[in-house]
């Protein structure tokens, strides 16, 4: 709904013109004030706020152009529309250069004035919406700053120090970490701290078919392929002067990897079907849920692209390796979830904290958040945590029992077998249950030799 101007000042030395404009405007719910020249108008604007000003150009004492030049007028938010019977295109341009919104030649029809005001109201509404949108985006960006990342552990403190140090550079960043550790949150923090004015955009490289991914990333020209009925901007162009987050980068098809390498080396992209490249200034932050070096060794990822991406290498520790963060995160999620559901705050008991810190959290922070959301749904006056399978204490002297890497691999194998059993061997459905790509699942089945 367009916000209607309410308060209008008419500046004209002709009483008949002022009277005519009053008769036109007041039936449309405009409140009208009158001044005979620029000096009188200055007195009005010092005492009252106006949404719009209709001003003649030729007037005694202070004409319309002189009025536009006054410092007090230049600071006004009011929309100024000039009127004259002696105007020309040069006069109209001169008025607009001095800060007027529009120019109307006398004599004019009443509908002309009303239409000009309506256009000005639409413009003002767009400006207000733009300011509100910028305010919302600014607040969202602050919410992703380093200061808003919940942590207690020294390992996460080291990660955030590295994020802060790398934020203002233009170099690519590679974030390594298990599913659910918060890789996108770290990518957003990098963007928030970078000072870049462009957008933050994210894409999961495993979620889009390889045939469509090139167009999604780089864009295409009209007629580049069947169905390309118009030109399309790719994510690299849309995120120009901002940040593009490439999640699951290990799943990027081999045929697209040289094109990404060129973006990183030359700072330019070429749309599908285009004959010329275009320069961009998009920072690339990539994330891998599995070991990219291993993918390189298996000829699934280009060696040169890996080293170009890993100029800054950030490793996010899984939640089980920073148990001191578990209770801090849980209390934060409880506050957020209770507030979102409009419920009274729920508190963790000492027994709750012990239960949470005794669990391995294979799904990491995401699993913790989802677990607490489920707990709140089934809780009433007090928090009731669903049972968790606690991790078993290590026994014996075998050093392999202390290996986090081996333990993680065993856990992965167990979950993959369970998912395959649950879906009667349907690998696509199993990948969905495990929240990984089908390609990743096939790789792990082969790696672990799962029947």
């Amino acid at each position: 709904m367009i916000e209607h101007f309410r308060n209008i000042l008419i500046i004209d030395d002709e009483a008949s013109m002022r009277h005519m404009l009053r008769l036109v405007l007041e039936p449309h719910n405009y409140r009208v004030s009158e001044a005979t020249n620029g000096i009188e108008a200055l007195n009005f604007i010092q005492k009252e706020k106006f949404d719009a000003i209709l001003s003649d150009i030729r007037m005694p004492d202070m004409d319309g152009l002189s009025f536009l030049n006054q410092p007090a007028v230049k600071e006004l938010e009011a929309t100024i529309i000039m009127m004259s019977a002696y105007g020309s295109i040069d006069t109209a341009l001169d008025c607009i250069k001095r800060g007027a919104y529009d120019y109307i030649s006398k004599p004019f029809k009443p509908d002309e004035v009303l239409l000009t005001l309506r256009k000005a109201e639409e413009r003002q509404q767009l400006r207000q919406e733009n300011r509100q949108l910028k305010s919302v985006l600014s607040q969202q960006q602050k919410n992703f700053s380093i200061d808003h990342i919940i942590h207690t552990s020294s390992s996460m403190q080291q990660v955030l120090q590295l994020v802060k140090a790398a934020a203002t550079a233009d170099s690519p960043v590679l974030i390594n970490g298990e599913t659910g550790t918060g890789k996108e949150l770290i990518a957003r923090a990098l963007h928030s701290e970078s000072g870049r004015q462009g957008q933050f955009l994210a894409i999961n490289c495993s979620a889009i078919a390889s045939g469509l991914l090139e167009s999604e990333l780089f864009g295409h020209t009209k007629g580049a392929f069947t169905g390309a009925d118009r030109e399309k901007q790719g994510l690299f162009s849309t995120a120009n002067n901002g940040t593009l987050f490439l999640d699951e980068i290990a799943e990027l098809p081999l045929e697209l990897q040289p094109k990404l390498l060129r973006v990183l080396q030359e700072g330019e992209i070429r749309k599908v079907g285009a004959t010329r490249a275009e320069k961009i200034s998009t920072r690339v932050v990539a994330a891998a849920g599995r070991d990219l070096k291993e993918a390189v060794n298996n000829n699934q990822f280009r060696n040169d692209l890996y080293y170009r991406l890993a100029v800054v290498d950030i490793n996010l520790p899984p939640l089980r390796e920073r148990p001191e963060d578990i209770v801090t995160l849980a209390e934060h999620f409880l506050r957020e979830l209770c507030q979102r559901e409009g419920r009274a705050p729920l508190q963790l008991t000492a027994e709750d904290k012990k239960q949470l810190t005794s669990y391995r959290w294979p799904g990491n922070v995401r699993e913790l958040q989802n677990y607490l959301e489920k707990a709140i749904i089934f809780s009433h006056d007090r928090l009731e945590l669903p049972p968790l399978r606690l991790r078993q204490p290590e026994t014996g002297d075998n050093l392999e029992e202390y290996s986090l890497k081996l333990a993680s691999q065993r856990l992965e194998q167990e979950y993959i077998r369970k998912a395959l059993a649950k879906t009667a061997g349907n690998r696509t459905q199993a990948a969905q249950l495990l929240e990984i790509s089908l390609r990743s699942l096939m790789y792990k089945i082969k790696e672990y030799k799962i029947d």
Side-chain angles (χ1 to χ4, degrees):
M1 182 177 177
I2 302 300
E3 186 176 345
H4 186 47
F5 285 171
R6 295 295 174 199
N7 214 12
I8 293 185
L9 175 62
I10 299 171
I11 314 171
D12 201 302
D13 59 325
E14 294 182 18
S16 59
M17 178 58 68
R18 299 197 304 272
H19 181 66
M20 185 273 287
L21 287 170
R22 181 182 287 275
L23 291 176
V24 169
L25 298 173
E26 285 185 338
H28 293 273
N29 299 319
Y30 291 106
R31 181 177 176 274
V32 177
S33 300
E34 298 178 20
T36 59
N37 57 44
I39 294 174
E40 279 190 27
L42 288 175
N43 291 328
F44 269 103
I45 65 174
Q46 288 173 1
K47 299 173 184 176
E48 196 170 349
K49 183 178 178 181
F50 294 94
D51 298 308
I53 297 173
L54 295 171
S55 176
D56 192 19
I57 291 181
R58 290 197 178 185
M59 295 179 292
D61 299 326
M62 181 185 287
D63 63 19
L65 293 178
S66 299
F67 174 74
L68 282 175
N69 284 336
Q70 299 302 308
V73 176
K74 291 186 179 296
E75 294 176 2
L76 292 177
E77 291 186 6
T79 298
I80 302 176
I81 299 166
M82 305 304 290
M83 309 176 293
S84 179
Y86 309 97
S88 64
I89 293 177
D90 290 339
T91 306
L93 290 173
D94 192 20
C95 291
I96 292 169
K97 284 179 183 177
R98 295 178 191 229
Y101 165 68
D102 208 345
Y103 177 92
I104 306 175
S105 295
K106 295 179 182 179
F108 45 74
K109 295 178 181 178
D111 284 349
E112 250 186 286
V113 178
L114 293 171
L115 180 60
T116 303
L117 285 171
R118 289 286 184 268
K119 284 167 57 182
E121 288 165 1
E122 290 178 7
R123 169 179 169 267
Q124 182 68 11
Q125 183 78 5
L126 288 172
R127 289 173 68 182
Q128 289 177 356
E129 289 175 357
N130 191 38
R131 283 197 293 267
Q132 290 170 358
L133 181 59
K134 283 184 177 179
S135 176
V136 169
L137 290 173
S138 176
Q139 186 57 48
Q140 286 179 346
Q141 190 155 314
K142 287 179 182 176
N143 290 341
F144 289 113
S145 68
I146 289 176
D147 295 336
H148 283 76
I149 294 180
I150 308 300
H151 70 286
T152 303
S153 63
S154 58
S155 58
M156 275 304 294
Q157 185 59 36
Q158 291 172 5
V159 167
L160 296 181
Q161 286 173 353
L162 181 55
V163 169
K164 196 160 192 173
T168 54
D170 292 329
S171 304
V173 176
L174 179 62
I175 305 171
N176 300 290
E178 296 178 6
T179 298
T181 49
K183 297 186 287 293
E184 184 169 341
L185 183 64
I186 294 298
R188 287 184 179 275
L190 277 161
H191 176 71
S192 176
E193 300 288 334
S194 70
R196 285 178 164 261
Q197 299 303 307
Q199 299 182 64
F200 175 93
L201 297 178
I203 184 171
N204 188 316
C205 296
S206 66
I208 300 176
S210 58
L212 300 175
L213 188 56
E214 183 177 10
S215 172
E216 195 70 23
L217 289 173
F218 303 101
H220 63 249
T221 60
K222 183 178 180 180
F225 49 83
T226 303
D229 55 352
R230 58 186 175 84
E231 186 169 338
K232 177 185 176 180
Q233 287 283 90
L235 293 178
F236 274 107
S237 296
T238 308
N240 194 23
N241 297 317
T243 303
L244 180 59
F245 175 54
L246 303 175
D247 198 7
E248 296 290 352
I249 190 67
E251 311 308 320
L252 187 70
L254 278 169
E255 62 269 20
L256 287 186
Q257 291 180 22
K259 205 163 182 178
L260 175 58
L261 183 62
R262 183 166 184 82
V263 175
L264 299 176
Q265 290 179 335
E266 307 298 334
E268 62 182 31
I269 61 163
R270 181 176 293 178
K271 293 180 179 179
V272 179
T275 57
R276 291 189 302 176
E278 61 180 89
K279 285 287 184 181
I280 58 165
S281 178
T282 304
R283 188 185 197 179
V284 173
V285 178
R290 62 184 177 98
D291 192 344
L292 266 190
K293 289 183 181 177
E294 195 169 331
V296 170
N297 293 336
N298 292 330
N299 296 319
Q300 296 172 324
F301 203 81
R302 289 177 64 108
N303 188 54
D304 49 1
L305 178 56
Y306 167 74
Y307 285 107
R308 192 70 190 91
L309 282 170
V311 174
V312 179
D313 203 350
I314 297 176
N315 294 294
L316 271 179
L319 196 53
R320 63 182 174 274
E321 291 181 12
R322 46 186 179 109
E324 57 266 55
D325 284 342
I326 294 173
V327 171
T328 306
L329 284 165
E331 290 174 338
H332 168 73
F333 289 141
L334 278 177
R335 284 193 298 272
E336 278 197 338
L337 291 165
C338 288
Q339 186 176 10
R340 190 185 74 187
E341 299 296 327
R343 298 189 51 162
L346 297 172
Q347 305 296 327
L348 292 170
T349 64
E351 187 60 34
D352 291 337
K353 294 176 182 179
K354 182 179 178 182
Q355 179 176 333
L356 292 175
T357 53
S358 298
Y359 183 64
R360 291 189 60 82
W361 300 108
N364 294 293
V365 180
R366 185 183 300 147
E367 183 187 3
L368 174 62
Q369 185 176 15
N370 292 342
Y371 170 78
L372 291 169
E373 186 170 2
K374 178 181 178 181
I376 285 177
I377 291 172
F378 295 103
S379 298
H380 300 288
D381 296 333
R382 59 181 294 275
L383 184 65
E384 297 179 20
L385 295 181
L388 287 165
R389 189 183 67 178
L390 304 183
R391 61 182 178 221
Q392 299 297 317
E394 286 89 350
T395 57
D397 296 324
N398 188 347
L399 294 179
E400 285 191 356
E401 294 182 5
Y402 297 90
S403 169
L404 290 173
K405 183 176 180 181
L406 289 175
S408 176
Q409 289 174 347
R410 285 194 293 269
L411 194 66
E412 275 194 340
Q413 292 180 55
E414 179 185 349
Y415 270 72
I416 290 170
R417 287 193 172 94
K418 282 184 176 180
L420 289 169
K422 179 75 175 176
T423 60
N426 188 313
R427 296 180 178 185
T428 301
Q429 292 179 8
Q432 292 172 350
L433 281 179
L434 294 165
E435 296 185 343
I436 61 175
S437 68
L438 178 60
R439 188 180 300 179
S440 291
L441 177 61
M442 298 298 290
Y443 170 79
K444 290 179 185 295
I445 289 174
K446 182 179 179 181
E447 179 187 11
Y448 295 137
K449 299 178 181 178
I450 297 173
D451 296 330

